[in-house]
Amino acid sequence: MTVTNNLLIMGPPGAGKGTQAVILARELSLAHLSTGDILRREITTGSALGQQAKTFMDKGALVPDDVMGPMVVEHLVKASKAGGFILDGYPRTVVQAEHLEKLMGEHRIPVTSVLNVDVPRETVIERLSNRQTCPNPKCQAVFHKINNPPKTANRCDRCETELVVRKDDTQEVVAHRIDVYLKQTAPVLDFYRARSLLQTFDGQGAIEGITQAILAKLQKAAA
Ligand code: AMP
């Protein structure tokens, strides 16, 4: 498929946006940029940025906008030159959305679509309490103990690293992440709705079906 796009993917924690982003990046030959993955890599390498981010991430709070901004600029400009991207996990505040809009304007990189993968709160809690993640910074594959289990229990299918439960996937932190999403990130949806860029998809159901719904909408828009 050759629809070149600069896409944003949004949704509450556990909506499956990371899973969809990986598949869409492959299908559409886009660079996949996940700010959560980038931050977790920074933590693993013990960088100053990682150390700063960790205290916020462990609590389920957002990393401050002034830390996120420069990090995103660096990765995004590179990715857009390489032929388009799907940005997963940014923007998460209206300030970040404004920052991104300014940046994109300066570099003449249009955002073509904002994909909103929506799931209800109960689904978020059910999914995150069954989530296992590969801690290998180069892999970061995600599994669900029941719906998408690894072939060997507790082992990553791709790199065989022992799977872990992310610190911010514990019950208490998940509840806080949902609140943070509702207060700080949900208003970003209105920001893009007002610019006629927002497309909302039902994030419940089979992974494949959701991907097909997204691809069909993107193809229609590109036709
Ligand atoms: P994710 O993997 O997308 O669920 O992100 C995990 C955590 O990384 C979030 O709960 C935040 O602490 C942090 N994070 C990721 N993206 C952002 C962002 N755009 N702004 C602030 N914090 C972020």
Side-chain angles (χ1 to χ4, degrees):
M1 189 174 298
T2 55
V3 187
T4 302
N5 280 304
N6 294 320
L7 307 174
L8 311 186
I9 189 158
M10 299 187 56
K17 59 187 160 54
T19 304
Q20 292 298 332
V22 169
I23 301 170
L24 292 168
R26 194 178 59 223
E27 291 287 320
L28 301 168
S29 305
L30 302 173
H32 170 218
L33 290 177
S34 154
T35 48
D37 286 353
I38 295 169
L39 290 168
R40 281 185 287 276
R41 275 198 292 272
E42 295 283 346
I43 291 174
T44 312
T45 57
S47 71
L49 172 64
Q51 283 171 21
Q52 205 178 351
K54 188 175 184 320
T55 49
F56 297 97
M57 291 173 77
D58 284 353
K59 287 188 290 202
L62 294 184
V63 176
D65 292 335
D66 60 337
V67 176
M68 294 306 297
M71 188 188 99
V72 166
V73 173
E74 185 196 320
H75 287 271
L76 213 56
V77 172
K78 238 189 266 167
S80 64
K81 284 188 186 141
F85 56 80
I86 180 159
L87 182 56
D88 156 14
Y90 192 96
R92 262 176 153 104
T93 63
V94 172
V95 169
Q96 290 181 4
E98 285 164 350
H99 176 262
L100 184 66
E101 189 169 66
K102 187 160 167 273
L103 174 74
M104 303 297 250
E106 281 164 11
H107 290 271
R108 296 185 209 287
I109 315 166
V111 166
T112 35
S113 245
V114 179
L115 314 172
N116 174 34
V117 184
D118 199 22
V119 293
R121 190 186 178 99
E122 314 80 73
T123 309
V124 166
I125 292 169
E126 188 279 327
R127 283 187 184 174
L128 295 187
S129 55
N130 282 293
R131 183 152 89 169
Q132 289 184 303
T133 307
C134 176
N136 172 356
K138 291 198 184 122
C139 179
Q140 308 207 40
V142 176
F143 300 87
H144 182 287
K145 281 188 216 156
I146 300 153
N147 301 341
N148 177 28
K151 289 192 186 94
T152 307
N154 305 323
R155 287 268 155 215
C156 179
D157 287 356
R158 287 198 220 146
C159 68
E160 298 189 354
T161 303
E162 188 166 356
L163 299 173
V164 297
V165 173
R166 261 169 55 176
K167 253 198 174 143
D168 60 349
D169 279 347
T170 54
Q171 214 176 353
E172 208 173 82
V173 181
V174 166
H176 184 57
R177 284 167 69 201
I178 297 172
D179 289 345
V180 166
Y181 173 79
L182 293 174
K183 278 202 199 99
Q184 301 192 59
T185 308
V188 179
L189 300 178
D190 294 330
F191 181 94
Y192 289 115
R193 197 174 284 117
R195 285 154 179 76
S196 304
L197 287 172
L198 193 74
Q199 314 252 27
T200 296
F201 300 89
D202 183 356
Q204 295 184 96
I207 292 171
E208 168 73 16
I210 300 163
T211 308
Q212 289 312 322
I214 296 174
L215 287 174
K217 262 277 169 62
L218 290 176
Q219 274 172 327
K220 206 167 153 205

